Amino acid sequence: MKTFSSGALSVNRKDPAGGRPDTTGGATLIDVAQAARVSLATASRVFSSPHLVRDSTAQRVREAARRLSFRPNLLGSKLRAQQTRMIGVMVPTLENAVFAECWHGIEEAALAGGYSLMLVTSGYDPARECERVEYLLRHRVDGMVLTVADAAHSTVLDQLDGEGVPYVLAYNQAGPRSRRHSVSVDNRRSACAGVEALIAAGHRRIVVVSGAFVASDRARQRFAGYQDAMRAHGLRPAAPVCLPSHTASNAEQIRALVRANDAPTAFFCTNDLLAIGVISDLRRLGLSVPRDISVLGYDGIALGSVVEPPLATVVQPNSEIGASAVGRLLAWLHDGGRASAAPPRVTLLPHALRVNGTVAAPPSM
Amino acid sequence: MKTFSSGALSVNRKDPAGGRPDTTGGATLIDVAQAARVSLATASRVFSSPHLVRDSTAQRVREAARRLSFRPNLLGSKLRAQQTRMIGVMVPTLENAVFAECWHGIEEAALAGGYSLMLVTSGYDPARECERVEYLLRHRVDGMVLTVADAAHSTVLDQLDGEGVPYVLAYNQAGPRSRRHSVSVDNRRSACAGVEALIAAGHRRIVVVSGAFVASDRARQRFAGYQDAMRAHGLRPAAPVCLPSHTASNAEQIRALVRANDAPTAFFCTNDLLAIGVISDLRRLGLSVPRDISVLGYDGIALGSVVEPPLATVVQPNSEIGASAVGRLLAWLHDGGRASAAPPRVTLLPHALRVNGTVAAPPSM
DNA sequence: GTGAAAGCGCTAACAT
DNA sequence: ATGTTAGCGCTTTCAC
């Protein structure tokens, strides 16, 4: 029987004497099994459940694998095992360093956990969000880590919920009543704390500058935090100033603002990139930051510590948010369907305040 | 026979009345075929070669697919077709905006071409480069787009060459004699042009500031360009100043430099991130850029136009480099093995000079 | 501890 | 134009 099974094994292989180099990418498990004179099953076990195999046998198989430069074809195992050990990641863009830093944490955590990654970007566009998620789904990712434009009104999340796809939000902060899983800082409270630091420094006229509100629920939550802080100190919140782009110069709008009679003494920008742009705009208007006007950012990207003066900001642990989101997802995937009741669905990581550099007392004091 | 084959088709499917929801992710092509009363092959053809199928039949199949919310399992096709239509991407880090911008071009081009992506970062570490590439190989990517620390001494590239894996370098510039494919600007000539602009502005004492030289062949090529420019104008090139980190403050080294008797009147930084850090360091030393000293960067990241004054720099078309690298790779993959002799292996994209903002005439003039 | 056999979901000859 | 068949490379019962 042994001779027969040996023969049966080789029946699938193309003729090795076929002339041109094997373009199909090399030895398969079958080849390894043959070379080690064990069955396909045993060879497989050596790599996936070594404890089921006698040590000496395993040695032989590994040796054969090495000799043949065997490289497991993950496609085969993924298809057969009905789980890909892949996680899909969708963020709005990598060009905002927040997400680039987050990716770092995601990659570390995922690869350490034996999972592969598939990245797509949505450009803050809900239509593209759907498209890209469908793409991830076709690749049969086991779960996803995503940052969507607006979690509360997201067709793509509703769809995912409907299909029962495991996912964890990053940066988007699920409401306490939500059934969704999320990892973020407490956007509202941390923003409130940031603005309170501004108030503590003596500022009374503080204005929020934001990107397109509709594109980011975080921006809205941070604005709410600003309102909280202002009201708690008996100050009147001002309407937010929404700038269309992070990178283009928004000098016009800024100019109108600082030229007004009751010009603000401080800006709270809902993200660091925006803050850096605003600071540049202010300089172009001949104003000095923080001497003439203070600027507070939000995100804590590394770049903020590089510029001069260093950007005052509400610091999120970006890399950790990514790693933690992956961790939550893996826990979910591994508990086998029981929707992980143990840890709370909403994870809030601690923020930090960095209030120096671009924030000082208002000029009148 | 029809009845039989219909029955045979359903033999593999689990009992739909089995109680709990189908956890395996929904309908397969077989289900669609059944529902549309066609064979598996025909159903498959509707999606991969519609022209081989009568319109009315195709309509029926598509309708069935819609009704069953059929989602093709890419794993199946990839395994069977012996090509994954996936391309692996490896860059040093996304935290340098250069690569984040590049990713944008890569994603656009790949998805437009019907290819999927798998991203890994190496952190400029050759050991991790090998690890990550092996990971990509196990996923059976059809080809790769990579930026390695040092293309001329890269074990991972040698290995890839040995195995005949199709790949295109991005940013790394293959030598004219090289058999390798690459897409980049001409690092040496563009750097030379940048330094010549400095010289044209009146600078004579120009010093190159770089990250760890060993980590980047681009940095070395750009330094060579600096030497070219200096020599062409009868000036003595100075030794490069190598800073360990992009983001930490390197004030000490900078201080020593600008306090010297023959202090430089201009710095040429081998990348923009570094340049922004150096400018901040100079400000901390009480120097004004560009009034007291000029700074020229290299990369052309979007951030450079945001800061004030805008960063003078040698602009690379980052997104286009990514898109173009993917384009070259797809061409290679599609020409079926003939190592695409038609277009040259080394693609040099045009650079641009942005010489304003942080570059001005030296103070003595 | 090891082997035989049955597929995972799909495509691609090869028939008809 | 459509159907039949044979796997892609792997894991995983079920026997022994």
Side-chain angles (χ1 to χ4, degrees):
Chain A
M1 270 315 186
K2 259 195 169 153
T3 21
F4 172 72
S5 63
S6 242
L9 283 176
S10 60
V11 102
N12 300 328
R13 305 300 302 157
K14 46 215 130 300
D15 184 2
R20 63 194 193 103
D22 188 354
T23 179
T24 62
T28 74
L29 242 202
I30 298 191
D31 301 323
V32 174
Q34 269 180 231
R37 312 191 145 281
V38 296
S39 75
L40 171 58
T42 300
S44 170
R45 281 190 277 254
V46 169
F47 298 106
S48 27
S49 340
H51 59 282
L52 294 181
V53 147
R54 186 189 294 146
D55 266 19
S56 62
T57 315
Q59 235 17 64
R60 251 187 20 255
V61 172
R62 269 190 258 273
E63 164 64 19
R66 215 186 39 66
R67 225 174 40 240
L68 301 177
S69 335
F70 168 66
R71 176 146 45 213
N73 184 334
L74 262 24
L75 254 48
S77 30
K78 286 177 191 317
L79 177 58
R80 169 59 220 238
Q82 291 294 84
Q83 58 149 326
T84 54
R85 291 185 149 272
M86 293 210 306
I87 90 180
V89 177
M90 181 172 74
V91 295
T93 171
L94 292 175
E95 293 172 49
N96 185 332
V98 173
F99 301 113
E101 293 179 11
C102 180
W103 169 264
H104 193 221
I106 290 176
E107 186 175 344
E108 298 287 293
L111 296 221
Y115 274 69
S116 312
L117 292 171
M118 201 144 233
L119 171 71
V120 293
T121 61
S122 68
Y124 294 97
D125 173 359
R128 238 175 74 163
E129 285 179 355
C130 290
E131 219 174 82
R132 300 302 208 235
V133 160
E134 173 64 21
Y135 159 102
L136 293 175
L137 252 15
R138 291 184 175 203
H139 283 281
R140 290 301 191 273
V141 295
D142 291 340
M144 305 187 187
V145 169
L146 357 123
T147 303
V148 297
D150 185 351
H153 312 92
S154 168
T155 47
V156 74
L157 292 187
D158 293 343
Q159 187 201 338
L160 255 20
D161 290 338
E163 303 198 28
V165 178
Y167 69 89
V168 175
L169 296 170
Y171 295 101
N172 296 291
Q173 181 178 350
R177 261 177 285 301
S178 166
R179 196 148 277 104
R180 290 171 176 161
H181 294 240
S182 71
V183 175
S184 67
V185 296
D186 189 326
N187 281 287
R188 184 163 177 168
R189 297 199 52 181
S190 58
C192 177
V195 173
E196 288 195 311
L198 249 22
I199 295 171
H203 294 278
R204 293 294 172 268
R205 294 194 305 281
I206 305 170
V207 166
V208 169
V209 180
S210 169
F213 245 37
V214 63
S216 168
D217 50 7
R218 282 88 64 212
R220 290 198 302 273
Q221 291 159 353
R222 292 165 197 169
F223 180 71
Y226 154 80
Q227 291 177 310
D228 293 345
M230 294 297 273
R231 289 186 181 129
H233 293 262
L235 301 171
R236 235 183 74 116
V241 177
C242 292
L243 266 25
S245 156
H246 285 183
T247 45
S249 169
N250 295 111
E252 294 316 314
Q253 299 215 41
I254 301 293
R255 176 201 308 269
L257 224 53
V258 298
R259 294 276 197 266
N261 277 337
D262 54 345
T265 61
F267 284 127
F268 172 37
C269 301
T270 56
N271 71 65
D272 279 355
L273 221 44
L274 198 58
I276 291 173
V278 167
I279 291 169
S280 299
D281 288 338
L282 292 171
R283 285 210 184 117
R284 289 191 186 97
L285 295 172
L287 296 173
S288 161
V289 176
R291 215 190 46 214
D292 300 324
I293 186 163
S294 289
V295 175
L296 177 68
Y298 193 110
D299 277 346
I301 60 178
L303 183 68
S305 321
V306 173
V307 295
E308 172 59 27
L311 181 63
T313 194
V314 180
V315 181
Q316 311 186 78
N318 291 307
S319 175
E320 202 185 327
I321 285 177
S324 180
V326 167
R328 302 286 300 107
L329 180 62
L330 293 194
W332 183 347
L333 293 177
H334 291 156
D335 87 352
R338 235 350 289 112
S340 45
R345 287 170 294 283
V346 177
T347 302
L348 293 181
L349 262 27
H351 65 269
L353 250 39
R354 195 194 291 150
V355 191
N356 49 14
T358 57
V359 165
S364 49
M365 286 186 84
Chain B
M1 269 316 186
K2 256 195 173 154
T3 23
F4 171 71
S5 64
S6 244
L9 283 176
S10 61
V11 100
N12 300 330
R13 306 297 302 156
K14 48 214 129 296
D15 184 2
R20 64 196 194 101
D22 189 353
T23 178
T24 60
T28 73
L29 242 201
I30 298 191
D31 301 323
V32 174
Q34 268 179 234
R37 314 191 145 282
V38 297
S39 75
L40 171 59
T42 301
S44 170
R45 282 190 277 252
V46 169
F47 299 106
S48 27
S49 338
H51 59 282
L52 294 181
V53 136
R54 185 192 295 147
D55 266 18
S56 62
T57 315
Q59 233 20 60
R60 250 181 30 249
V61 171
R62 270 190 257 274
E63 165 63 19
R66 216 187 38 68
R67 227 172 41 240
L68 300 177
S69 334
F70 167 66
R71 177 146 44 216
N73 184 334
L74 261 25
L75 255 47
S77 32
K78 286 175 192 317
L79 177 57
R80 169 58 221 234
Q82 291 293 84
Q83 60 148 323
T84 55
R85 291 186 150 271
M86 293 210 304
I87 92 180
V89 177
M90 182 171 76
V91 294
T93 171
L94 293 174
E95 293 170 49
N96 186 332
V98 174
F99 301 113
E101 292 179 10
C102 179
W103 169 264
H104 193 220
I106 290 176
E107 186 175 345
E108 298 287 294
L111 297 222
Y115 274 69
S116 311
L117 292 172
M118 200 144 237
L119 170 71
V120 293
T121 61
S122 68
Y124 293 97
D125 173 358
R128 240 175 73 165
E129 284 179 355
C130 290
E131 219 174 84
R132 300 302 208 237
V133 159
E134 174 65 21
Y135 158 103
L136 293 175
L137 253 14
R138 290 182 175 208
H139 283 281
R140 291 302 191 271
V141 295
D142 291 340
M144 304 187 187
V145 169
L146 352 126
T147 304
V148 297
D150 184 352
H153 311 91
S154 169
T155 47
V156 75
L157 292 187
D158 292 345
Q159 188 201 338
L160 255 22
D161 290 338
E163 302 199 28
V165 178
Y167 68 89
V168 176
L169 296 169
Y171 295 103
N172 295 292
Q173 181 179 350
R177 259 175 287 302
S178 167
R179 194 147 280 102
R180 290 172 176 160
H181 294 240
S182 71
V183 175
S184 68
V185 296
D186 189 325
N187 281 288
R188 184 164 179 168
R189 296 198 53 179
S190 58
C192 177
V195 173
E196 288 194 312
L198 249 22
I199 295 172
H203 294 277
R204 293 294 173 270
R205 295 193 304 281
I206 305 170
V207 166
V208 169
V209 181
S210 168
F213 245 38
V214 63
S216 167
D217 49 7
R218 280 88 64 213
R220 290 198 302 274
Q221 290 159 352
R222 292 165 197 170
F223 180 72
Y226 154 82
Q227 291 177 309
D228 293 344
M230 295 297 273
R231 288 183 183 132
H233 293 262
L235 301 170
R236 235 182 74 117
V241 177
C242 291
L243 267 23
S245 156
H246 285 182
T247 47
S249 167
N250 295 111
E252 295 316 314
Q253 299 215 40
I254 301 293
R255 176 200 308 268
L257 223 53
V258 299
R259 294 278 196 264
N261 277 337
D262 55 344
T265 61
F267 284 128
F268 172 38
C269 300
T270 56
N271 71 65
D272 280 355
L273 221 45
L274 197 60
I276 291 172
V278 166
I279 291 169
S280 299
D281 288 337
L282 292 172
R283 286 211 182 116
R284 289 193 186 96
L285 295 172
L287 295 173
S288 162
V289 175
R291 215 191 44 215
D292 300 324
I293 186 164
S294 290
V295 176
L296 176 69
Y298 193 110
D299 277 347
I301 61 179
L303 183 68
S305 321
V306 173
V307 295
E308 172 60 28
L311 181 62
T313 195
V314 180
V315 181
Q316 309 185 78
N318 291 305
S319 176
E320 201 184 328
I321 285 177
S324 179
V326 167
R328 301 288 297 107
L329 180 61
L330 294 194
W332 183 346
L333 294 176
H334 291 156
D335 86 354
R338 231 358 282 114
S340 47
R345 286 169 296 282
V346 178
T347 302
L348 292 181
L349 262 27
H351 64 270
L353 249 39
R354 197 193 290 149
V355 190
N356 50 13
T358 57
V359 165
S364 49
M365 284 188 84

